[in-house]
Amino acid sequence: MIYISSAVCFQSLLSACTEPSGHRQASYSFQFSPQLNANITYTLRAKQIMSQQVRSIPSAFVQDMKLTWRCQAIARDSATVLLMQCDQFFIRSRGKDMDITYDSEDSLHEQFGVPGMASFVSRQGRLRVQSNGYTQIMNDSLNTSAVDSEAFALTTPLFCRLPDAAVSVGNRWGADYTSIMGFIPLQVHCDYTLLSVRDGKATLAIDAHLKTSLHTAGQKLFVANGSGYQKGKIEIRLKDGIVTSSSFVQFLSGEMDMSGLKVPFTQGAEIRITGTVEQ
């Protein structure tokens, strides 16, 4: 039987702890910085299911949506200015005794009951994107139509909120921003985690807390008090921070107040985004 003294064991352990491993963890810096005149096409697909209860009577409807945006980086100073154009807008809502559709590419389905929807498609607007991925709609992009502001708000998930400092795999950072879910405005606190880096792309986990904010529709006051979550993954290009794919789920529950009528609701969504770049 072979015995090893405690002194030898301690010396071996000390050497293992103090000698360099030779595998220093890489760190990565991210920023949204597409080349000028680069053309980016984003496609967003969403499936939403909403359930509500009005005067103790339950109801539910399903909504499918597809949005395609064509963008060009036209200027850059402290941020990048994107010239954006919505090339396609498809939306279908269906429930009991209801099935209505709007498709900008189908002349037979032009009416969805939302004034200004058709005029929004193919009209250009400008979006200012900071290097950390935060966005701002430029004032000359909108007219007085509520449809314009809501449709442009749908561009929020196309961009990733990037860390201000270099990060390594396993690191986490947070971001606060506003978004929209089924035309309900949201306040979002999102935690991002860098999962991996491979072939010039980074994969991030997203874990967010959602909270509803005030919304006004026409002459009636509409308030949605609720909270929920958003979870999924997002893939971005290392060299310019452009989102190439993203998939996540959202869930929201709470109570709507429509001019004094209390309506409990739940709303879930599955969202997929793809982004392609042409120089």
Side-chain angles (χ1 to χ4, degrees):
M1 182 174 293
I2 300 175
Y3 293 91
I4 303 177
S5 70
S6 59
V8 174
C9 288
F10 178 78
Q11 183 64 39
S12 299
L13 178 61
L14 182 62
S15 298
C17 292
T18 56
E19 289 178 359
S21 65
H23 296 286
R24 186 177 180 179
Q25 191 172 19
S27 60
Y28 304 91
S29 297
F30 298 94
Q31 63 176 358
F32 183 82
S33 57
Q35 291 186 10
L36 286 179
N37 299 316
N39 294 298
I40 312 167
T41 300
Y42 294 105
T43 300
L44 181 151
R45 294 177 174 85
K47 185 180 187 68
Q48 299 171 332
I49 301 175
M50 183 172 184
S51 301
Q52 59 189 28
Q53 191 166 329
V54 181
R55 294 191 175 96
S56 301
I57 301 174
S59 63
F61 70 89
V62 178
Q63 182 169 278
D64 296 294
M65 183 170 61
K66 178 184 177 182
L67 270 164
T68 300
W69 297 87
R70 183 158 46 88
C71 317
Q72 185 179 40
I74 60 172
R76 181 183 296 120
D77 42 43
S78 59
T80 299
V81 177
L82 294 181
L83 183 64
M84 303 191 68
Q85 178 174 307
C86 181
D87 275 358
Q88 182 187 11
F89 193 0
F90 167 87
I91 186 168
R92 179 188 179 191
S93 289
R94 57 194 187 278
K96 184 179 180 181
D97 303 323
M98 179 195 74
D99 192 340
I100 51 180
T101 299
Y102 170 80
D103 187 350
S104 62
E105 295 189 343
D106 185 351
S107 60
L108 297 178
H109 292 132
E110 292 182 348
Q111 299 302 319
F112 183 70
V114 182
M117 188 74 74
S119 64
F120 174 77
V121 178
S122 298
R123 191 167 67 250
Q124 293 182 331
R126 295 192 301 161
L127 192 70
R128 187 176 177 85
V129 187
Q130 303 290 336
S131 60
N132 61 5
Y134 282 82
T135 61
Q136 178 185 8
I137 301 169
M138 302 183 73
N139 291 334
D140 59 357
S141 297
L142 304 178
N143 58 24
T144 57
S145 169
V147 173
D148 283 355
S149 60
E150 290 178 340
F152 264 102
L154 292 170
T155 64
T156 302
L158 306 180
F159 305 94
C160 179
R161 277 65 192 168
L162 302 169
D164 294 325
V167 294
S168 299
V169 171
N171 287 167
R172 175 183 291 190
W173 65 96
D176 295 288
Y177 56 93
T178 57
S179 188
I180 196 166
M181 178 182 184
F183 297 101
I184 296 178
L186 296 174
Q187 298 167 346
V188 182
H189 174 77
C190 186
D191 287 321
Y192 296 89
T193 303
L194 179 58
L195 297 179
S196 64
V197 176
R198 178 179 294 180
D199 298 330
K201 296 180 180 179
T203 300
L204 318 176
I206 49 178
D207 188 352
H209 174 73
L210 310 177
K211 185 178 180 181
T212 57
S213 57
L214 180 67
H215 181 65
T216 301
Q219 299 300 315
K220 295 182 179 180
L221 185 63
F222 172 88
V223 182
N225 296 308
S227 60
Y229 63 83
Q230 174 177 297
K231 295 180 182 293
K233 291 183 179 180
I234 186 169
E235 183 182 82
I236 63 174
R237 303 200 325 174
L238 281 177
K239 66 178 183 179
D240 51 23
I242 293 174
V243 172
T244 56
S245 69
S246 180
S247 61
F248 52 91
V249 295
Q250 293 177 328
F251 180 80
L252 195 67
S253 64
E255 183 179 73
M256 295 182 289
D257 186 335
M258 295 182 288
S259 299
L261 179 63
K262 307 294 185 180
V263 181
F265 75 94
T266 61
Q267 185 166 331
E270 296 179 359
I271 298 172
R272 292 182 294 118
I273 296 168
T274 58
T276 58
V277 185
E278 295 180 6
Q279 301 301 141

